[in-house]
Amino acid sequence: MLKEKYRSVLELGEKLGVRDGYVEEASGKLRIGGLAAYQHDSDLMWDEIKKQSGWEQEVEADIKVENTDFYG
C-alpha cells in the first residue's frame, strides 16, 4: 500500500501545516497535494518523497505554495 510507504511524507505535511491536503491512492499511484505556507516547506516534502525508490512511477504530487514573496 503506497500510503504506508509514503507515510513519512504525509506526516511531514501535517507537521508543516499543509492545508487543503488530499491523499488518494488509485491505479497504482499515490496522488497527494495541498497548500504549503512557503516554498521551503514544499521543497522539504519533495525531498521526503524522493527518499523512496520508485517514487517517479508511484507519486503524483501537487504541493502549491501560499507565500511566494520570499523563500521561508
Side-chain angles (χ1 to χ4, degrees), residues 41-63:
D41 297 340
S42 176
D43 292 347
L44 288 173
M45 291 192 66
W46 273 107
D47 290 346
E48 193 66 30
I49 289 168
K50 292 175 183 179
K51 288 180 181 178
Q52 299 296 328
S53 63
W55 70 268
E56 300 93 331
Q57 291 80 36
E58 298 173 340
V59 176
E60 290 179 10
D62 183 18
I63 306 164

Side-chain angles (χ1 to χ4, degrees), residues 37-41 65-72:
Y38 302 103
Q39 184 63 49
H40 180 69
D41 297 340
V65 177
E66 183 174 22
N67 300 307
T68 58
D69 295 344
F70 66 96
Y71 189 83

Side-chain angles (χ1 to χ4, degrees), residues 2-64:
L2 292 174
K3 283 184 184 178
E4 282 303 313
K5 182 176 180 179
Y6 292 93
R7 174 139 320 274
S8 63
V9 176
L10 305 178
E11 290 173 352
L12 179 60
E14 289 177 9
K15 180 181 172 187
L16 295 173
V18 173
R19 297 188 333 221
D20 302 326
Y22 64 87
V23 179
E24 174 185 280
E25 189 171 339
S27 303
K29 293 258 186 190
L30 184 65
R31 293 177 179 89
I32 61 175
L35 183 63
Y38 302 103
Q39 184 63 49
H40 180 69
D41 297 340
S42 176
D43 292 347
L44 288 173
M45 291 192 66
W46 273 107
D47 290 346
E48 193 66 30
I49 289 168
K50 292 175 183 179
K51 288 180 181 178
Q52 299 296 328
S53 63
W55 70 268
E56 300 93 331
Q57 291 80 36
E58 298 173 340
V59 176
E60 290 179 10
D62 183 18
I63 306 164
K64 294 181 175 31

